[in-house]
Amino acid sequence: MMRATTGIATVAALTASLALTACGSEGGTTDGTTASGADGESITIGFSQRRLAGSDWWATLLQGAEDKAAELGAEIIVTDAGGDTVKQNSDVQTLLTRGVDAIILNPHDPTGVAGAVTSTVRDDVPLVVVNGSLSDELAPHQFCYVAEDQVAVAARLGAAIAEKATERWGDRPVTAVVIGGYSGETITNLRHKGVIEGYESVEDAPEITYLPIRYGEWLPDRALTPMRDVATANPDIDIVFSLSDVMLPGIERGLQDAGVLDQVLIGTYDGQMAVLRKMMENPDGPVQVNASNEPYKQGETAVEMAVAAARGESQEEVCPGGEFFIETFLATPENAEEHHDPHRQF
């Protein structure tokens, strides 16, 4: 996590520098102008979001970006691909046609957005990627990738669940299932890898058997049926890893419909304040661990990186190595109160 620490210090310095020109008049500078590029013109950022409907997480990511743009005096234009990679490629082309100075991309498909990435290279417009990553072939074209270190965060979740499982069942073997977003998706794969590695890292944790991973498309209604089907077919299930808090209501409903909610141990991922409140109010309930990933901070940082890139600042200066990992927390019933913030969703 040394890269994260360095990146945070770098962006803190960058934010302080930008804030000197952003305070005084609702995101404008002290003389009434806005954040500007090297040519003195105001900066316009295009934000291509993979999808918005049905997810408070994605809405929070966008809110962080919009708030930071307003603070820095930059204009932000948002497009919503609605979960359609073809539309996302078209959206980026539209943003470039409108003359934006930088693009923020939350890719629906790490490879399928090749057209969008190619267009930014062709037009010499810096690209900041947030939340979802690009494929290894496309990643070299990004100015910065902003996210949490998903494998490391998920590993902390997996290890914490292993410790909880040891407390509850001793050395009795357990059965688990992982509920991810989409088959083959990078985010799902990284988090899946992390929880498995984290669980295995705990010495003397109960032997674990994983049922085939299921997918809930990052939405509660889409997670309901696969969870109910798994729990009905496997009434002895012990552990559920939910790779997003957004899916959690559907997962809990599926477990409840199958009559096994009270027997399972749930580890979930996102740091949603409603889930922390649930742990505070019911410390012996199914949800025992929640790993955060700070969507608001991701949105803020993506805009900071986009403004820096538009101003011509070097990648090595503001995003060394082309990646920036956000600091996160891990909540359990024992410490949920210290992480809970009633003014935030995540």
Side-chain angles (χ1 to χ4, degrees):
M1 294 299 289
M2 284 299 292
R3 179 182 292 154
T5 303
T6 302
I8 288 161
T10 302
V11 167
L14 171 64
T15 304
S17 172
L18 293 173
L20 291 176
T21 62
C23 60
S25 59
E26 294 187 4
T29 64
T30 53
D31 61 1
T33 60
T34 56
S36 60
D39 60 359
E41 296 295 322
S42 61
I43 291 172
T44 301
I45 301 166
F47 190 130
S48 172
Q49 170 59 25
R50 59 189 298 185
R51 186 170 65 189
L52 282 170
S55 173
D56 290 340
W57 195 98
W58 284 326
T60 302
L61 173 74
L62 181 58
Q63 190 64 58
E66 290 178 330
D67 288 353
K68 180 55 67 173
E71 176 187 328
L72 299 180
E75 180 185 358
I76 188 165
I77 303 171
V78 178
T79 60
D80 178 8
D84 183 336
T85 304
V86 174
K87 185 177 185 305
Q88 186 159 44
N89 282 310
S90 176
D91 286 346
V92 170
Q93 185 57 60
T94 298
L95 290 168
L96 292 169
T97 300
R98 294 184 64 176
V100 298
D101 301 295
I103 292 283
I104 297 174
L105 175 69
N106 185 0
H108 182 64
D109 182 291
T111 303
V113 294
V117 175
T118 300
S119 295
T120 65
V121 173
R122 178 201 65 209
D123 289 6
D124 195 26
V125 173
L127 175 65
V128 174
V129 179
V130 66
N131 179 221
S133 60
L134 296 176
S135 66
D136 290 342
E137 295 75 22
L138 296 177
H141 299 296
Q142 69 197 16
F143 178 81
C144 191
Y145 169 52
V146 178
E148 80 280 17
D149 185 340
Q150 298 191 64
V151 174
V153 171
R156 292 174 65 201
L157 170 61
I161 285 293
E163 291 170 358
K164 294 283 186 179
T166 303
E167 292 172 9
R168 181 174 297 190
W169 295 301
D171 59 0
R172 174 176 77 75
V174 296
T175 301
V177 68
V178 176
I179 309 295
Y182 292 90
S183 175
E185 179 191 41
T186 303
I187 295 175
T188 292
N189 291 344
L190 292 175
R191 296 180 187 180
H192 188 194
K193 179 176 185 285
V195 294
I196 290 174
E197 290 181 353
Y199 190 97
E200 291 176 350
S201 72
V202 177
E203 190 175 354
D204 299 326
E207 180 182 344
I208 189 167
T209 298
Y210 290 97
L211 300 170
I213 186 172
R214 300 300 203 278
Y215 303 99
E217 300 181 18
W218 306 124
L219 295 171
D221 59 326
R222 302 296 178 87
L224 169 58
T225 299
M227 184 72 263
R228 182 168 53 205
D229 291 348
V230 170
T232 300
N234 301 273
D236 60 343
I237 191 168
D238 301 297
I239 296 171
V240 175
F241 289 105
S242 168
L243 299 189
S244 171
D245 289 350
V246 178
M247 298 189 294
L248 187 59
I251 288 170
E252 290 181 311
R253 175 64 185 274
L255 291 166
Q256 187 174 45
D257 289 351
V260 299
L261 178 61
D262 292 339
Q263 76 184 37
V264 300
L265 182 61
I266 298 176
T268 186
Y269 189 116
D270 276 344
Q272 188 177 41
M273 293 301 147
V275 179
L276 269 61
R277 285 196 297 274
K278 186 191 297 281
M279 288 194 288
M280 291 160 58
E281 294 165 0
N282 185 15
D284 297 320
V287 179
Q288 288 291 301
V289 185
N290 193 353
S292 80
N293 59 359
E294 304 290 342
Y296 191 87
K297 289 182 184 177
Q298 289 192 35
E300 286 186 310
T301 304
V303 166
E304 290 172 337
M305 293 297 179
V307 168
R311 286 179 162 173
E313 299 189 38
S314 72
Q315 182 190 69
E316 189 57 35
E317 222 179 299
V318 297
C319 188
E323 293 182 336
F324 179 92
F325 293 141
I326 302 292
E327 286 190 329
T328 65
F329 64 80
L330 188 75
T332 65
E334 293 77 20
N335 70 1
E337 187 172 2
E338 67 184 74
H339 294 297
H340 181 256
D341 183 343
H343 304 295
R344 294 173 47 187
Q345 281 193 303
F346 291 89

Short mmCIF file of all heavy atoms in Angstrom, two decimals, residues 24 72 124 140 167 197 222 291:
data_model
loop_
_atom_site.label_atom_id
_atom_site.label_comp_id
_atom_site.label_asym_id
_atom_site.label_seq_id
_atom_site.Cartn_x
_atom_site.Cartn_y
_atom_site.Cartn_z
N GLY A 24 -13.59 31.10 -2.57
CA GLY A 24 -14.03 32.49 -2.65
C GLY A 24 -15.35 32.71 -3.34
O GLY A 24 -16.05 33.65 -3.02
N LEU A 72 -13.55 23.26 -7.78
CA LEU A 72 -12.38 23.69 -8.54
C LEU A 72 -12.73 24.61 -9.70
O LEU A 72 -11.85 25.06 -10.43
CB LEU A 72 -11.62 22.47 -9.06
CG LEU A 72 -11.09 21.51 -8.00
CD1 LEU A 72 -10.36 20.34 -8.65
CD2 LEU A 72 -10.17 22.23 -7.01
N ASP A 124 -5.76 13.41 -28.49
CA ASP A 124 -4.79 13.90 -27.51
C ASP A 124 -5.49 14.51 -26.29
O ASP A 124 -5.10 15.57 -25.80
CB ASP A 124 -3.85 14.93 -28.16
CG ASP A 124 -2.60 15.18 -27.31
OD1 ASP A 124 -2.23 14.28 -26.54
OD2 ASP A 124 -2.03 16.28 -27.41
N PRO A 140 -2.16 1.25 -20.59
CA PRO A 140 -1.04 2.20 -20.79
C PRO A 140 -1.47 3.55 -21.36
O PRO A 140 -0.71 4.52 -21.29
CB PRO A 140 -0.13 1.45 -21.77
CG PRO A 140 -0.39 0.00 -21.51
CD PRO A 140 -1.87 -0.05 -21.24
N GLU A 167 -14.41 -18.26 15.16
CA GLU A 167 -15.08 -18.00 16.44
C GLU A 167 -16.41 -18.74 16.53
O GLU A 167 -16.77 -19.26 17.59
CB GLU A 167 -15.35 -16.50 16.58
CG GLU A 167 -14.10 -15.64 16.74
CD GLU A 167 -14.42 -14.16 16.69
OE1 GLU A 167 -15.62 -13.81 16.70
OE2 GLU A 167 -13.47 -13.35 16.63
N GLU A 197 -8.17 -15.34 -1.27
CA GLU A 197 -6.81 -15.25 -0.73
C GLU A 197 -6.82 -14.82 0.74
O GLU A 197 -6.03 -15.33 1.55
CB GLU A 197 -5.99 -14.27 -1.56
CG GLU A 197 -5.66 -14.76 -2.96
CD GLU A 197 -4.83 -13.77 -3.75
OE1 GLU A 197 -4.61 -12.63 -3.25
OE2 GLU A 197 -4.41 -14.12 -4.86
N ARG A 222 -31.45 -8.11 -9.13
CA ARG A 222 -30.78 -9.13 -9.93
C ARG A 222 -30.06 -10.16 -9.06
O ARG A 222 -29.77 -11.27 -9.52
CB ARG A 222 -29.79 -8.48 -10.89
CG ARG A 222 -30.41 -7.47 -11.84
CD ARG A 222 -31.40 -8.12 -12.78
NE ARG A 222 -32.03 -7.14 -13.65
CZ ARG A 222 -31.55 -6.74 -14.80
NH1 ARG A 222 -30.39 -7.21 -15.23
NH2 ARG A 222 -32.20 -5.86 -15.53
N ALA A 291 -16.30 -4.11 4.01
CA ALA A 291 -15.09 -3.43 3.52
C ALA A 291 -15.50 -2.23 2.69
O ALA A 291 -16.30 -2.36 1.76
CB ALA A 291 -14.25 -4.40 2.69
#
